[in-house]
């Protein structure tokens, strides 16, 4: 009977500490994972190209990895401005999104809306 009492008391102590001890105050953003697949249009610049995979940085500072040739689009030149309709599906720990392309078009300058002005 005393063994049962000790086990029960130990369980209560662990339970109470686990229940009432404060956890992390902020959500951990150090890990990547799936994101809600939602289509949106962004303007930005192609900042790198490696083995057909393009790194695209938007005017909002978001970074995307896209593969235009695999989806039937021409590979854009590094440094070119682009307007892209993207559907992100995954985010890395470094906040780089993997995305599917719905449309990709070269532009000569950013629109007012693409610059975040409205």
């Amino acid at each position: 009977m005393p063994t049962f009492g000790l086990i029960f008391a130990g369980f209560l102590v662990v339970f109470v500490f686990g229940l009432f001890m404060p956890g992390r105050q902020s959500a951990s953003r150090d890990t990547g994972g799936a994101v809600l697949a939602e289509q949106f249009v962004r303007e930005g610049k192609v900042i790198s190209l490696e083995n057909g995979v393009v790194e695209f940085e938007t005017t909002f500072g978001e970074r995307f990895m896209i593969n235009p040739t695999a989806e039937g689009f021409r590979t854009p030149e590094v440094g070119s401005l682009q307007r892209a309709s993207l559907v992100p599906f995954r985010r890395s720990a470094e906040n780089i999104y993997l995305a599917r392309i719905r449309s990709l078009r070269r532009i000569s300058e950013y629109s007012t809306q693409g610059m975040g002005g409205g």
Side-chain angles (χ1 to χ4, degrees):
M1 194 65 161
T3 306
F4 175 72
L6 287 173
I7 292 173
F8 185 71
F11 172 76
L12 282 177
V13 168
V14 170
F15 178 74
V16 168
F17 276 117
L19 187 63
F20 295 109
M21 290 298 290
R24 285 189 203 182
Q25 296 299 320
S26 62
S28 175
R29 305 230 9 133
D30 294 341
T31 60
V35 296
L36 180 63
E38 180 178 13
Q39 182 174 338
F40 51 83
V41 177
R42 293 290 191 262
E43 292 181 348
K45 182 187 269 189
V46 174
I47 57 175
S48 72
L49 170 65
E50 187 175 330
N51 296 328
V53 177
V54 172
E55 187 171 356
F56 177 72
E57 186 169 13
T58 70
T59 55
F60 298 113
E62 301 159 317
R63 290 173 42 204
F64 293 91
M65 298 298 278
I66 55 178
N67 192 342
T69 53
E71 298 189 48
F73 295 93
R74 288 186 185 152
T75 304
E77 298 172 8
V78 174
S80 64
L81 302 180
Q82 302 285 328
R83 179 176 294 128
S85 178
L86 302 169
V87 179
F89 59 91
R90 201 141 189 87
R91 181 180 62 85
S92 74
E94 295 83 27
N95 279 332
I96 299 174
Y97 292 89
L98 299 176
R100 300 292 310 259
I101 306 168
R102 295 291 179 238
S103 70
L104 185 65
R105 187 176 67 152
R106 185 179 185 135
I107 56 176
S108 58
E109 62 182 29
Y110 295 128
S111 66
T112 305
Q113 182 180 14
M115 294 180 72

